[in-house]
Amino acid sequence: MFRILSYPLILLLIALGITEIVPVIKWAIGHYMAYKWVGAGMAGYIVLSILRIFNKNLEWLRTFSHELSHTIVGMMFLRKIHSFEAGEGEGEMSHSGGLRFGTIFISLAPYCLPIFTYLLLFLRELSAANSLYIFDIMIGFTAAFHIGCFRSQIGTHQTDITSVGILRSYLFIFAMWVVNLTILLLSIRYGVIDAFKTLAVEYWSTVVSWWHIVVGYIKSLL
């Protein structure tokens, strides 16, 4: 039942995400200097990747972040974690119990949850104003790292994706990356806590607005 219901919910999330991210991107373009240190961090990661500075440990770190994402989200859905393994290119996390509807979130977490970036966004809240640029550099660096993980790991060869359903997986991943980008841009502007609050209010307001439009249209036909 949840698999069937998830499609309209994911499509609604995509519609909301695209609607709300457009003005956020417009603001970011108009105030691009606010994101200069984030851009510097991303550029730094790209340069180090091209120079292959840390390629020796990169594969292990990507696998570690993959399994860690499964683990963190699994714990959020009250799953019991039985094992956690991460090697170079191979890893595994086993779990059981908990909330059943969390399966899609747990399975797809590595492809749409930049855990290191979110950790830094929350730590940024505690930073002094004159130290924000340091966190912004690291945020950009880790964001680029997670994008690299996404590109290297996603595919129909992944049982995480095929077990959820290929179409449903890609729709969900796209929806979540729209949300991630919106949160990142808003976090540099307001801070991550206010970014989540702002996005929640905007999503709810948009849903209510759309609902009134639909109801009004139905009434006009009666």
Side-chain angles (χ1 to χ4, degrees):
M1 177 62 72
F2 178 74
R3 180 179 286 265
I4 297 174
L5 291 176
S6 66
Y7 281 100
L9 292 175
I10 293 171
L11 291 174
L12 174 62
L13 182 59
I14 291 174
L16 287 170
I18 293 174
T19 300
E20 300 305 330
I21 199 174
V22 171
V24 173
I25 290 178
K26 286 183 178 179
W27 189 93
I29 292 173
H31 302 78
Y32 65 92
M33 287 302 291
Y35 302 92
K36 62 182 178 182
W37 295 115
V38 174
M42 297 184 77
Y45 178 86
I46 293 171
V47 169
L48 291 177
S49 296
I50 293 174
L51 297 177
R52 301 180 181 274
I53 299 297
F54 47 67
N55 272 23
K56 182 177 180 180
N57 299 316
L58 182 59
E59 192 63 34
W60 175 85
L61 186 57
R62 284 177 172 174
T63 304
F64 175 78
S65 68
H66 183 108
E67 302 305 331
L68 184 61
S69 299
H70 282 312
T71 303
I72 291 174
V73 178
M75 293 172 66
M76 290 172 60
F77 285 94
L78 306 180
R79 298 295 174 93
K80 181 178 180 181
I81 308 302
H82 298 288
S83 65
F84 177 99
E85 297 179 16
E88 291 188 12
E90 295 184 1
E92 182 181 5
M93 188 278 285
S94 62
H95 58 91
S96 64
L99 304 175
R100 289 188 62 186
F101 69 88
T103 300
I104 185 173
F105 298 96
I106 298 169
S107 295
L108 301 181
Y111 313 102
C112 53
L113 179 63
I115 52 175
F116 299 142
T117 303
Y118 273 115
L119 173 61
L120 288 167
L121 284 173
F122 279 102
L123 290 176
R124 185 180 186 270
E125 293 279 284
L126 307 175
S127 173
N130 60 359
S131 301
L132 288 178
Y133 76 96
I134 298 175
F135 281 92
D136 288 352
I137 291 173
M138 293 190 293
I139 286 167
F141 190 92
T142 56
F145 164 77
H146 283 293
I147 292 172
C149 291
F150 169 77
R151 291 185 59 216
S152 66
Q153 295 175 350
I154 195 170
T156 54
H157 63 285
Q158 295 282 6
T159 55
D160 296 332
I161 291 175
T162 55
S163 64
V164 172
I166 295 174
L167 177 60
R168 191 162 67 125
S169 293
Y170 282 114
L171 287 174
F172 182 84
I173 292 168
F174 176 75
M176 291 308 302
W177 271 103
V178 172
V179 172
N180 288 333
L181 178 57
T182 307
I183 291 294
L184 175 58
L185 294 176
L186 288 176
S187 294
I188 303 302
R189 182 176 173 183
Y190 298 125
V192 68
I193 295 176
D194 285 338
F196 274 106
K197 290 179 180 178
T198 300
L199 196 60
V201 170
E202 291 297 328
Y203 276 17
W204 178 250
S205 298
T206 303
V207 168
V208 171
S209 176
W210 288 351
W211 174 255
H212 286 312
I213 292 173
V214 171
V215 171
Y217 178 74
I218 292 175
K219 286 182 178 180
S220 69
L221 296 176
L222 298 178

